[in-house]
Amino acid sequence: MSLMLNTDLYRELSDSEKKVIDYIETHENKVESFSITMIANRTFTSTATVSRAIKKMGFSGGISELRYSISINKSPSEDDHEKKNEDIGNVNQILAKSYRECMYTIDNIVITDILKVIDFIKSANRIILCALGSSAMVAQEFQEQLLMLGYTPILMADEVWLKRSNLVKQNDLVFIITTLNTRPVLFDMANRAKHTGAKVVTCVCKEGTSLQGISDITIIGHTENIVNTSIMSQTSRLSLMIITRTITEYLALYE
């Protein structure tokens, strides 16, 4: 398949960008398994130039989208190693999903909301982290990071504890971490917290949930479906880790 830009667009590129695109066009079979750094080294350019050139080719998803596009458009006759091609295509598809999840989450974050959450954490009497299922693993890591920064967050990752109405006090911060907000007990916890005068922050990967309506701040991430096996959840929590990491890394800057 041809990846080349049309003549007018190609003329507008810098010499280094043309060098990158010429290399990709000429070495298409190799590029599907290359990293940006490998392409940069072989074209004597920078990784920033490679990334910029790939996006000008129409691949807004960057190197992952380019590699996946090459993989799925290659005909079996072009390569005798069909199984290898299939494996490369599958890996590139997985990487493309991870790229989208990171990119869409970062693009969707409102910086002023992150700063408000920072203020809530600093001024709270107690920080209560609420999460269930696989999201609890994200909450646990968040708790560990906050502990290292000198805070004393409480982790509630059990429905029995979440149903207790007398645990949250005024001036506490209830921090809810959930992918799709499918558990009514989380909404009930947030609702009780609001009535006691506590602040409620929700990190979720779905717009328009019931939690969003009653939370002081809602930070929306992006999730992708992943392989559903006995040891792996159907939806990714990567975006939740990006959000919590952003918060703790900012806090660490001023400790």
Side-chain angles (χ1 to χ4, degrees), residues 129-144:
L129 306 178
C130 304
L132 294 169
S134 298
S135 297
M137 293 186 288
V138 179
Q140 184 176 6
E141 182 177 359
F142 188 35
Q143 179 191 34
E144 292 171 357

Side-chain angles (χ1 to χ4, degrees), residues 105-121:
T105 295
I106 292 170
D107 287 349
N108 202 44
I109 288 176
V110 179
I111 303 301
T112 52
D113 285 346
I114 294 291
L115 295 176
K116 288 176 184 176
V117 172
I118 299 295
D119 289 339
F120 285 172
I121 289 174

Side-chain angles (χ1 to χ4, degrees), residues 13-189:
L13 299 175
S14 66
D15 290 342
S16 57
E17 290 170 343
K18 289 177 182 176
K19 187 183 296 185
V20 169
I21 291 178
D22 290 344
Y23 181 87
I24 292 173
E25 181 76 11
T26 306
H27 300 84
E28 187 178 309
N29 290 339
K30 295 181 179 180
V31 168
E32 66 175 330
S33 59
F34 276 12
S35 68
I36 276 188
T37 301
M38 293 171 70
I39 297 173
N41 289 340
R42 283 160 175 77
T43 56
F44 302 99
T45 59
S46 66
T47 55
T49 298
V50 175
S51 179
R52 188 168 59 248
I54 289 171
K55 289 183 178 179
K56 287 183 178 181
M57 294 170 73
F59 297 101
S60 59
I63 185 69
S64 295
E65 185 180 344
L66 168 65
R67 293 185 302 202
Y68 179 57
S69 179
I70 293 173
S71 299
I72 63 174
N73 285 285
K74 178 182 286 187
S75 65
S77 60
E78 291 179 285
D79 196 327
D80 294 333
H81 304 288
E82 294 182 42
K83 179 62 169 65
K84 180 181 178 182
N85 289 338
E86 181 181 353
D87 290 341
I88 290 173
N90 288 337
V91 172
N92 281 327
Q93 185 177 18
I94 293 168
L95 291 172
K97 288 197 295 184
S98 297
Y99 183 91
R100 286 196 302 271
E101 191 165 4
C102 293
M103 180 178 65
Y104 293 156
T105 295
I106 292 170
D107 287 349
N108 202 44
I109 288 176
V110 179
I111 303 301
T112 52
D113 285 346
I114 294 291
L115 295 176
K116 288 176 184 176
V117 172
I118 299 295
D119 289 339
F120 285 172
I121 289 174
K122 289 182 175 181
S123 61
N125 286 345
R126 297 183 305 168
I127 303 166
I128 301 174
L129 306 178
C130 304
L132 294 169
S134 298
S135 297
M137 293 186 288
V138 179
Q140 184 176 6
E141 182 177 359
F142 188 35
Q143 179 191 34
E144 292 171 357
Q145 292 169 344
L146 289 172
L147 284 169
M148 287 189 290
L149 291 170
Y151 297 92
T152 54
I154 301 167
L155 175 59
M156 292 188 182
D158 182 273
E159 288 204 18
V160 174
W161 281 98
L162 288 170
K163 289 177 181 177
R164 296 186 62 178
S165 60
N166 61 339
L167 292 176
V168 182
K169 306 296 183 183
Q170 189 175 16
N171 299 324
D172 286 344
L173 170 61
V174 172
F175 198 111
I176 298 174
I177 299 174
T178 177
T179 308
L180 300 175
N181 184 32
T182 57
R183 306 287 188 94
V185 68
L186 293 174
F187 174 82
D188 294 340
M189 176 66 166

